[in-house]
Amino acid sequence: MTYYAQFQGYLLPSLINDRITLATLVVGQFLAIILSFSPFTQGDPWLRLGLISLFIHVVALISLFLLSIIKPLIKKNTLTPQVLIILLVINGVTSLATVLLVQLALLELSAFNDVLGKNLLIATILALLFVQFSVMHQEHNQAKSAFDRAELDALQARIRPHFLFNSLNTAAELVHHDAKEAEKTILALAALARAAMQAGKSVTLAHEIKLAQQYLQIEQWRLGNRLALEWQMPPEIPELQLPSLTIQPLLENAVNHGIEPLSTTGVIRVEMHITSQSVTIMIINPIAKDAHCVRENNGVAVANIQKRLSLAFADKASLTIHKRPEQYRVKLVLPLGE
């Protein structure tokens, strides 16, 4: 009882889907075979198999269909009412299917009460097993979610912009030349430092883009004419949540490994493309002709972001890199509707 008393959740969050339907049909057929070829039954087992299979599959599919319809009603209740509703639906469909057998003259009327009692007993046992599986399924998902959140927090805590201390020198120099620009730099640094401390937090895409723009503005003050920017943004940023500091480290890599080694002006281009299913962000930066392979901390940052995206979006988000002789391109794809 304590085991179920501690359960807090919804028994049918994702159980009504193609995989569950297929699993239900397989388990139902397995049960039909057991009942048909039981040594305690009489008559032709193959004839019984066809009738029992039809009965079980009809009951199972109609029950799943009804449960999918009343999911909002089930979700509003605690565990005990949820179990009672599931039992009521499955037993109710079983009773109606048994009555239908009598109406179709597939079952003798004299045996109706006996068969109905056996059918309801089997249906009740299977419904309770279904509930037990649902509880275990939910607890597994909750435990996995807690583990993923802890791992995401640990990964997020490792994202600390390396430019913060260097940018303080930029702000110090601006104080003597342009107090207003120095104030803007310090405010931007404060926003980035605050984001760096938001381990495991999710932010909107618009917030993340603004943070990226603040970062590049600081780097423009530091690098001067050596850094040029091209932004290709849509009029409106989609409503989308993603882990904090997902885009900024990619831009930091573009500055450190793409712009700083150049002896001339380098251009960082940031593009955003939107479809009905996803948002794609492209970050393109030049590569110096005499530049060596990407430094190790660049790969570590990319691997970190890939892992955080995997935890946040499963396999629905992706981060890919395309390296050409004179160009480095990062493609970030985020799913919409999550």
Side-chain angles (χ1 to χ4, degrees):
M1 294 298 294
T2 304
Y3 175 77
Y4 289 101
Q6 293 176 346
F7 176 82
Q8 294 180 350
Y10 173 39
L11 287 177
L12 302 172
S14 59
L15 292 181
I16 310 301
N17 53 42
D18 294 340
R19 291 181 60 189
I20 295 302
T21 301
L22 178 60
T24 301
L25 293 176
V26 172
V27 172
Q29 189 61 42
F30 182 71
L31 175 62
I33 292 173
I34 293 177
L35 294 175
S36 301
F37 290 90
S38 172
F40 301 102
T41 59
Q42 299 178 353
D44 184 3
W46 295 104
L47 181 60
R48 285 198 306 273
L49 178 61
L51 183 59
I52 294 175
S53 297
L54 177 63
F55 181 85
I56 290 177
H57 291 328
V58 168
V59 170
L61 293 176
I62 293 178
S63 297
L64 284 177
F65 175 73
L66 293 177
L67 289 173
S68 67
I69 293 177
I70 64 173
K71 281 174 67 175
L73 174 63
I74 299 177
K75 190 174 183 179
K76 296 178 181 179
N77 293 279
T78 57
L79 179 62
T80 300
Q82 290 184 49
V83 173
L84 292 177
I85 292 173
I86 293 173
L87 287 172
L88 180 62
V89 169
I90 295 177
N91 284 324
V93 174
T94 301
S95 300
L96 291 175
T98 305
V99 172
L100 182 62
L101 285 178
V102 175
Q103 296 296 327
L104 295 176
L106 297 175
L107 185 68
E108 295 182 3
L109 184 60
S110 59
F112 173 74
N113 291 332
D114 181 52
V115 173
L116 178 61
K118 291 180 180 179
N119 287 348
L120 290 177
L121 177 61
I122 295 174
T124 300
I125 294 174
L126 293 178
L128 292 175
L129 290 175
F130 176 78
V131 169
Q132 175 67 20
F133 172 77
S134 300
V135 172
M136 294 172 62
H137 177 79
Q138 277 296 89
E139 291 193 337
H140 171 75
N141 285 345
Q142 291 170 2
K144 185 178 183 299
S145 177
F147 175 80
D148 287 349
R149 174 54 58 184
E151 187 174 0
L152 180 59
D153 288 347
L155 288 168
Q156 189 81 355
R158 298 177 192 173
I159 293 291
R160 292 293 183 263
H162 301 91
F163 70 91
L164 286 176
F165 293 104
N166 294 333
S167 298
L168 287 173
N169 294 327
T170 302
E173 293 178 5
L174 284 172
V175 168
H176 301 288
H177 300 89
D178 193 331
K180 291 185 178 180
E181 293 298 329
E183 182 181 1
K184 291 180 181 179
T185 303
I186 293 173
L187 290 175
L189 280 172
L192 289 160
R194 184 164 53 251
M197 291 185 292
Q198 292 179 335
K201 301 293 184 180
S202 293
V203 298
T204 63
L205 180 58
H207 180 274
E208 189 72 4
I209 293 296
K210 181 179 180 181
L211 202 67
Q213 291 172 336
Q214 288 176 312
Y215 162 70
L216 288 178
Q217 187 176 30
I218 293 173
E219 293 291 35
Q220 269 195 313
W221 287 328
R222 183 172 69 87
L223 297 172
N225 294 331
R226 293 173 58 196
L227 172 61
L229 300 174
E230 291 183 6
W231 289 90
Q232 296 182 15
M233 293 285 114
E236 295 185 4
I237 304 298
E239 290 291 334
L240 173 65
Q241 294 284 327
L242 73 163
S244 177
L245 288 180
T246 296
I247 299 175
Q248 184 277 331
L250 300 176
L251 292 170
E252 187 174 345
N253 285 337
V255 171
N256 291 341
H257 312 310
I259 303 301
E260 288 191 345
L262 294 175
S263 57
T264 58
T265 299
V267 179
I268 293 179
R269 187 164 79 249
V270 184
E271 304 175 3
M272 180 182 295
H273 306 281
I274 303 173
T275 67
S276 59
Q277 297 181 340
S278 65
V279 175
T280 300
I281 299 172
M282 305 285 293
I283 299 174
I284 305 169
N285 64 267
I287 299 178
K289 293 182 180 180
D290 57 346
H292 299 289
C293 295
V294 179
R295 291 182 292 182
E296 182 180 357
N297 58 348
N298 187 5
V300 171
V302 170
N304 185 306
I305 294 171
Q306 287 175 328
K307 182 62 175 178
R308 291 190 294 137
L309 290 173
S310 176
L311 291 171
F313 298 103
D315 59 347
K316 297 180 181 180
S318 65
L319 177 63
T320 55
I321 295 173
H322 303 278
K323 187 177 180 182
R324 299 177 180 177
E326 297 184 359
Q327 188 183 81
Y328 195 83
R329 177 178 303 198
V330 178
K331 181 179 179 181
L332 174 63
V333 180
L334 303 170
L336 283 175
E338 291 298 311

